[in-house]
Amino acid sequence: MSVPVGHYQYDRIDRDFLQARIAEFEGQVKRRLDGTLSEDEFKPLRLMNGLYLQLHAYMLRVAIPYGILDSRQLRKLGEIARRYDRDYGHFTTRQNIQFNWIRLEDTPDILRELAEVDMHAIQTSGNCIRNVTSDEYAGAAADELVDPRVHAEVLRQWSTLHPEFTFLPRKFKIAISGSPNDRVAARFHDIGILARPGEDGAPVFRIFVGGGLGRTPVIGEELFDSVREEHLLATLEAILRVYNAHGRRDNIYKARIKILVQAIGVEAYREAVEAELGQMELDRYRLTPEAVAAIRARFAVPLLEAPDDADAVLTQQRRDDPLFDRWVRSNTHVHRDPGHIIATISLKPAGGIPGDATSAQIGRLADLADAYSFGEIRITHLQNVVLGHVRKDRLRDLWLGLSEVGLAEANIGLIGDIVACPGLDYCALANARSIPIAQKLGARFADTALQAEIGALRINISGCINACGHHHAGHIGLLGVDKRGEEFFQLTVGGRAENGAALGTILGAALPEDETVDAIARLVDCYLGLRESGETFLETLTRLGHEPFREAAYEAV
Amino acid sequence: MKRPVRLEAGQKLVLTANRLLDGRTVWWREDGGWDLRIGQAVLLDADVAEAALSRAMEEAQRKGVVGVYDTAVLPVVPPEPVTVREKIRAHGPTVHPEFAVETAQ
Ligand code: HEM
Ligand code: SF4
């Protein structure tokens, strides 16, 4: 295979650059170890290479551009987990992977191994433009209007080592989608981009700015409705310039673009961007059809061939096997090709750690990707894994293969599909542990038939106000708080990241850790008792308001 | 600057840091060395803790540690940190029993 399916093919320049960067970092590590560099001097340098110091060890965050990997890359991540970590990798909501048990001394070697498969950890931390995220069904979903990966790659190239944007006031996160169904949480990003076809065939882009979670959750506001392809980079450049010039640098909590947009208003922001565009040399930033075509050519298109009866075979297999049928219901999505289907593999086993995978599971996923999906794997922003192009008549074989390694959980989009940040078990900034609550909830609702009965319900858990677990965007959100050294959880309800993005609102006083799971179970029971036929949790909540749920949750307290 | 730890009756202070090479959590021993086991940590009263902390910070680079600070413990055997955060640093993540840290003397 010369060009990988699904992601961009590196060339000599990319590879030489990575080697030079690793050599530079290796020198920095040496100087840190011999004391030439102090910790204060070294910290920003290691962060630029994705290396954090957590509670028990260093953590390395590896970039997965727009969440897409090939099997060779995934296998390498599995090997790194085995050799340099404690046999685990952790998939995150930013479509990255984190290793939680890394040694500083090993890091240059790990980066070299990553570079062998065209991967790195650059710009996964620090006040720069972070890994650009995209739709996990890109290039596959039937409901897609524009394949966002080509422009995600354009953005990756534009934002990587952009000299002007290396020291922004704060980190900067961009997401891009090409579907009318927002699967990237576009309005919770610093910049969210929704692509759709324009009249002349080239895509146009709707751009939101100033969204984000964290301490000050804000839903992004529309800056432009229809930016033409040729002006995409100029527009982004101008948005970043306004932020870089006017974003606050005196207070870390007020430094994100959302604060600037809130402070001056979206109209003033738009005027500032237009003024900037008016004095920019637009030709320098023009994204030509030729440039886009050249990038598109570096992505191989999968040859989607399936037997005529593929769909009939799948229908029959579903009829014959109710367990398989349940998995298909929750864990698949309609493909643009009638003979194919998109499969989402849950990394949320009941009672397990959301997003964790062992090296053996990672290796097995790579094998299954080779066998069933052109060697291509996608990481979702909900900490799961997607095989994008599975032939319908082979889906059951894939499912059986997944069952063998404990990866056939039928819970995507259901209550067991919990998003949780690392929390106080690893994270130096945490107030409370996120994972144990996720595990207890997962175990409580382990029965997949019960999960299917409850229906669409997302739980998101963050261990502190930084909101890495997107708790404000959860239908039910849990935020860990510290009360005199003890763990408490604040409950929010009604958040959503999909179309019609909304922030959850607080249900009541924070609960002690050991009462939280029961309170949520009562809340869910309350919903089951009150829902009208066909109503989802969010719909019942919208109809009845907080009160019945608040009463149920706090009943025993 | 970190705010001073407020000690309640019966509590003591220990010094802690992370090892530069591998980031592992370590505790300050009587002899000025650093140990993976909190059971080896020297218990300090508030009046002497400040001097010990300054010394440990000064020696941090030479002793191969980063981020030295003090935290309150109950003086049991092995000492038990007061906050959940420090308990987890002492014992390892609660979600992987196989990664538990040996804490004894
Ligand atoms: C364990 C190490 C981690 C540290 C130290 C860390 C730190 C932070 C901090 C300080 C913020 C707030 C930034 C701000 O508002 O300016 C933040 C936000 C965020 N983190 Fe993390 N994080 C960690 C792990 C993760 C993981 C594992 C994920 C994915 C599951 C993640 C996803 C996010 C996201 C999506 C946001 C953005 C929220 C927003 O829009 O403001 N982080 N993180
Ligand atoms: S939300 Fe807080 S506790 Fe969770 S990973 Fe982010 S910084 Fe750490």
Side-chain angles (χ1 to χ4, degrees):
Chain A
M1 183 175 66
S2 54
V3 179
V5 166
H7 73 79
Y8 177 80
Q9 170 78 47
Y10 266 36
D11 61 18
R12 260 291 292 289
I13 299 173
D14 298 301
R15 297 201 173 105
D16 289 350
F17 162 70
L18 277 194
Q19 291 304 329
R21 175 73 175 239
I22 295 166
E24 177 189 64
F25 186 55
E26 188 165 43
Q28 292 163 349
V29 170
K30 265 206 196 90
R31 282 183 284 146
R32 175 68 189 107
L33 294 180
D34 71 19
T36 322
L37 288 176
S38 70
E39 184 62 17
D40 286 347
E41 289 163 333
F42 179 65
K43 186 175 170 186
L45 302 175
R46 70 164 155 75
L47 287 177
M48 279 183 212
N49 291 284
L51 193 65
Y52 287 74
L53 180 53
Q54 293 295 325
L55 293 183
H56 317 282
Y58 290 92
M59 179 274 276
L60 182 68
R61 183 182 286 164
V62 178
I64 302 177
Y66 32 98
I68 302 191
L69 290 165
D70 62 51
S71 54
R72 172 187 68 115
Q73 296 174 318
L74 188 60
R75 248 178 229 113
K76 178 59 83 180
L77 295 174
E79 283 165 26
I80 289 173
R82 192 174 321 121
R83 266 188 71 187
Y84 298 102
D85 195 273
R86 296 189 170 181
D87 214 25
Y88 285 91
H90 182 74
F91 292 101
T92 79
T93 57
R94 291 278 311 151
Q95 298 181 315
N96 293 321
I97 186 167
Q98 296 188 172
F99 294 108
N100 281 323
W101 296 95
I102 296 301
R103 301 161 57 89
L104 176 59
E105 323 172 72
D106 291 340
T107 315
D109 291 338
I110 299 175
L111 295 178
R112 251 185 214 107
E113 296 219 15
L114 287 171
E116 280 173 23
V117 293
D118 304 335
M119 296 184 80
H120 61 75
I122 299 166
Q123 284 181 220
T124 60
S125 174
N127 295 335
C128 55
I129 303 177
R130 302 288 189 86
N131 189 37
V132 173
T133 53
S134 187
D135 186 339
E136 56 251 30
Y137 302 156
D143 61 15
E144 181 170 283
L145 301 174
V146 172
D147 182 345
R149 288 171 302 179
V150 173
H151 295 88
E153 175 59 30
V154 169
L155 298 186
R156 185 187 74 84
Q157 296 190 8
W158 162 76
S159 63
T160 302
L161 303 184
H162 191 309
E164 197 178 325
F165 304 140
T166 311
F167 293 101
L168 293 169
R170 197 79 182 90
K171 59 166 91 168
F172 204 90
K173 299 179 180 180
I174 302 179
I176 178 166
S177 167
S179 164
N181 297 306
D182 182 353
R183 284 184 286 262
V184 300
R187 301 192 69 179
F188 287 128
H189 280 76
D190 296 289
I191 294 182
I193 305 174
L194 300 181
R196 64 177 193 279
E199 277 162 18
D200 58 357
V204 292
F205 302 90
R206 187 169 176 211
I207 298 188
F208 296 97
V209 291
L213 299 167
R215 189 172 299 262
T216 315
V218 181
I219 296 175
E221 297 191 60
E222 183 181 298
L223 193 66
F224 298 112
D225 171 58
S226 311
V227 172
R228 293 168 48 168
E229 184 180 60
E230 59 173 330
H231 293 141
L232 178 64
L233 291 184
T235 306
L236 296 178
E237 185 91 14
I239 296 172
L240 265 295
R241 282 188 183 175
V242 170
Y243 169 55
N244 206 17
H246 301 291
R248 284 180 65 171
R249 290 175 190 266
D250 59 321
N251 180 340
I252 188 176
Y253 301 126
K254 307 232 178 263
R256 296 285 291 263
I257 189 176
K258 60 190 172 189
I259 305 291
L260 179 61
V261 174
Q262 294 297 304
I264 68 175
V266 74
E267 286 77 21
Y269 204 99
R270 188 179 303 118
E271 279 164 27
V273 170
E274 281 165 349
E276 184 62 36
L277 280 168
Q279 55 114 47
M280 273 166 73
E281 210 186 305
L282 287 183
D283 268 344
R284 252 194 79 197
Y285 298 96
R286 191 177 305 280
L287 185 56
T288 62
E290 295 74 36
V292 176
I295 288 184
R296 196 183 304 276
R298 303 274 202 99
F299 287 84
V301 178
L303 253 181
L304 298 172
E305 287 170 343
D308 290 342
D309 66 347
D311 188 64
V313 170
L314 174 59
T315 307
Q316 188 57 44
Q317 286 172 335
R318 291 179 66 171
R319 234 177 256 138
D320 294 345
D321 184 344
L323 271 183
F324 173 57
D325 181 58
R326 183 176 299 147
W327 182 80
V328 177
R329 264 172 216 276
S330 52
N331 290 43
T332 62
H333 188 83
V334 185
H335 196 283
R336 62 186 160 83
D337 178 71
H340 286 77
I341 195 162
I342 303 171
T344 303
I345 299 165
S346 170
L347 296 183
K348 319 287 177 64
I353 298 179
D356 261 19
T358 62
S359 68
Q361 287 177 322
I362 293 173
R364 188 77 187 123
L365 283 172
D367 296 342
L368 292 170
D370 279 336
Y372 295 98
S373 195
F374 303 89
E376 184 221 67
I377 302 99
R378 295 111 182 276
I379 311 306
T380 82
H381 74 294
L382 302 169
Q383 300 177 290
N384 293 309
V385 173
V386 165
L387 296 186
H389 313 283
V390 183
R391 242 171 64 183
K392 281 184 176 169
D393 56 325
R394 305 186 62 209
L395 184 66
R396 185 155 188 282
D397 291 341
L398 167 64
W399 176 71
L400 291 171
L402 290 168
S403 309
E404 284 167 18
V405 282
L407 290 172
E409 202 74 29
N411 63 8
I412 297 300
L414 305 178
I415 195 169
D417 185 9
I418 298 169
V419 170
C421 76
L424 192 51
D425 281 301
Y426 296 97
C427 177
L429 304 175
N431 286 326
R433 291 170 299 157
S434 313
I435 298 171
I437 286 277
Q439 290 179 304
K440 286 182 210 168
L441 283 166
R444 180 72 153 248
F445 295 101
D447 178 357
T448 45
L450 172 63
Q451 292 194 42
E453 164 72 19
I454 295 168
L457 209 175
R458 291 205 169 286
I459 299 185
N460 291 58
I461 310 173
S462 304
C464 80
I465 196 74
N466 287 320
C468 302
H470 301 183
H471 62 278
H472 307 101
H475 302 170
I476 299 177
L478 276 74
L479 164 65
V481 290
D482 172 353
K483 289 198 180 177
R484 318 185 102 250
E486 299 290 330
E487 300 166 287
F488 277 66
F489 286 89
Q490 189 177 75
L491 264 52
T492 50
V493 290
R496 58 187 300 172
E498 317 86 76
N499 289 359
L503 295 167
T505 46
I506 295 171
L507 200 60
L511 294 164
E513 195 264 354
D514 56 3
E515 289 172 26
T516 303
V517 173
D518 286 339
I520 289 174
R522 286 194 300 271
L523 204 155
V524 171
D525 277 344
C526 166
Y527 152 64
L528 292 177
L530 294 174
R531 74 171 166 191
E532 290 176 351
S533 113
E535 243 179 10
T536 63
F537 172 74
L538 278 185
E539 287 161 353
T540 308
L541 180 72
T542 308
R543 179 167 58 84
L544 295 176
H546 277 35
E547 206 40 42
F549 296 99
R550 208 186 60 78
E551 271 173 27
Y554 289 89
E555 168 187 284
V557 180
Chain B
M1 261 321 274
K2 194 173 156 288
R3 64 197 146 90
V5 178
R6 252 190 307 129
L7 280 191
E8 301 199 354
Q11 296 176 355
K12 300 273 187 184
L13 286 168
V14 294
L15 304 188
T16 182
N18 289 85
R19 223 154 50 181
L20 175 61
L21 276 184
D22 59 6
R24 294 289 304 277
T25 306
V26 284
W27 308 91
W28 202 63
R29 284 193 310 249
E30 183 108 57
D31 65 3
W34 291 91
D35 205 294
L36 287 170
R37 297 160 297 178
I38 194 173
Q40 296 290 323
V42 56
L43 302 187
L44 305 163
D45 286 313
D47 53 343
V48 295
E50 205 168 317
L53 186 59
S54 314
R55 182 183 144 201
M57 283 168 134
E58 249 160 55
E59 296 177 352
Q61 176 67 34
R62 198 159 54 74
K63 296 276 172 75
V65 298
V66 294
V68 180
Y69 62 93
D70 54 354
T71 190
V73 295
L74 298 176
V76 291
V77 180
E80 186 60 8
V82 172
T83 64
V84 182
R85 181 183 202 272
E86 297 306 324
K87 284 190 220 287
I88 290 172
R89 288 183 74 250
H91 298 281
T94 61
V95 293
H96 276 294
E98 72 275 29
F99 301 159
V101 179
E102 180 66 52
T103 55
Q105 311 260 359

